[in-house]
Amino acid sequence: ALTTEELKQEILSYDQNDTHVQAFNAIAEQWGARPIKVISKALDVPDMFRRIAAKRKLRVTLFKGSLDDVIRYDLPFIVVTRITGDLGDYCYAVTSAKNGSLSLSPALFDNTAISMNDLSTIANGTFYLVWQNFDQIPDSISKGEKRFEIKALQRLLKQAGYYHDLIDGDYNTVTAGAVREFQHSMGIADNETMGELTLAALTRFDINHKVPSLKGN
């Protein structure tokens, strides 16, 4: 086990902008998106990170909780640390999670693997899920709405095991109820109109696209 002070000194020994660029590129690689080669501005998180991700059709969604909680989403994510530099808090990419060990990018102590316990000591409880909204499902849907994109939502809910009705594009009581059930299963606060976090969580059930899995599923 590493001490918090050892981790802090190791993190501070690296240029923060380089750290954030490498973290971004690790996530981009997971999604098959193009990496950053040259950057003229400082890459801070989440503002610049989010803008560059959007140009690659990637979404960046805030999540607050524990390391265990964010790993349940089974998507690559950015962990914000308690270590502060000129660009704010240092941030790292987590791209896999197996048997209590995480793949971290960039590497620390020349090792891309870090234990969950060690990372927990420096994580500040703020994370950013990075995902792709392949079917352009709206973040917010009102009950009674009928639109083509809702069919994609119903398919995802069906693949997740929470929707068993017609794929008809109607955001009716049954569909909204399936959304609520799914949210409960993920520990997401009830929000019948969906929300970005719910959509991000549903991404891993998309069988029509290649979605990176933290756990290698």
Side-chain angles (χ1 to χ4, degrees), residues 143-144 163 165 170-181 192:
K143 202 185 278 189
Y163 183 73
D165 218 322
D170 185 357
Y171 198 68
N172 51 26
T173 303
V174 176
T175 308
V179 166
R180 277 200 315 278
E181 281 184 48
E192 274 194 354

Side-chain angles (χ1 to χ4, degrees), residues 26-35 56 58 132 210 212:
I27 297 271
E29 183 181 2
Q30 293 288 302
W31 284 100
R34 71 183 188 279
R56 290 156 173 79
L58 294 174
Q132 198 162 352
K210 187 180 177 185

Side-chain angles (χ1 to χ4, degrees), residues 8-150:
K8 179 180 178 181
Q9 292 309 317
E10 173 73 3
I11 286 169
L12 289 172
S13 71
Y14 295 98
D15 178 83
Q16 192 173 17
N17 196 60
D18 287 348
T19 294
H20 290 176
V21 168
Q22 288 181 62
F24 182 94
N25 286 345
I27 297 271
E29 183 181 2
Q30 293 288 302
W31 284 100
R34 71 183 188 279
I36 299 169
K37 291 182 179 174
V38 178
I39 183 165
S40 57
K41 296 179 181 177
L43 180 55
D44 60 357
V45 181
D47 295 337
M48 180 61 73
F49 197 100
R50 188 174 274 132
R51 287 199 291 273
I52 294 172
K55 290 178 180 176
R56 290 156 173 79
K57 296 183 179 177
L58 294 174
R59 299 282 296 271
V60 179
T61 298
L62 171 69
F63 175 83
K64 286 190 176 275
S66 71
L67 205 48
D68 278 322
D69 290 337
V70 74
I71 286 169
R72 287 183 64 209
Y73 285 80
D74 198 19
L75 290 169
F77 63 88
I78 293 295
V79 55
V80 183
T81 74
R82 303 176 196 274
I83 317 303
T84 303
D86 293 337
L87 300 175
D89 298 323
Y90 273 80
C91 299
Y92 285 79
V94 174
T95 54
S96 79
K98 291 178 186 174
N99 304 319
S101 179
L102 307 174
S103 290
L104 194 72
S105 187
L108 291 174
F109 302 101
D110 295 322
N111 194 344
T112 57
I114 187 170
S115 75
M116 277 185 62
N117 287 341
D118 284 343
L119 190 56
S120 291
T121 64
I122 56 167
N124 75 1
T126 297
F127 306 93
Y128 293 97
L129 295 163
V130 183
W131 57 290
Q132 198 162 352
N133 190 355
F134 293 105
D135 296 300
Q136 303 301 307
I137 302 167
D139 294 351
S140 180
I141 306 172
S142 300
K143 202 185 278 189
E145 263 192 80
K146 293 182 180 181
R147 52 194 295 175
F148 178 77
E149 293 86 353
I150 295 169

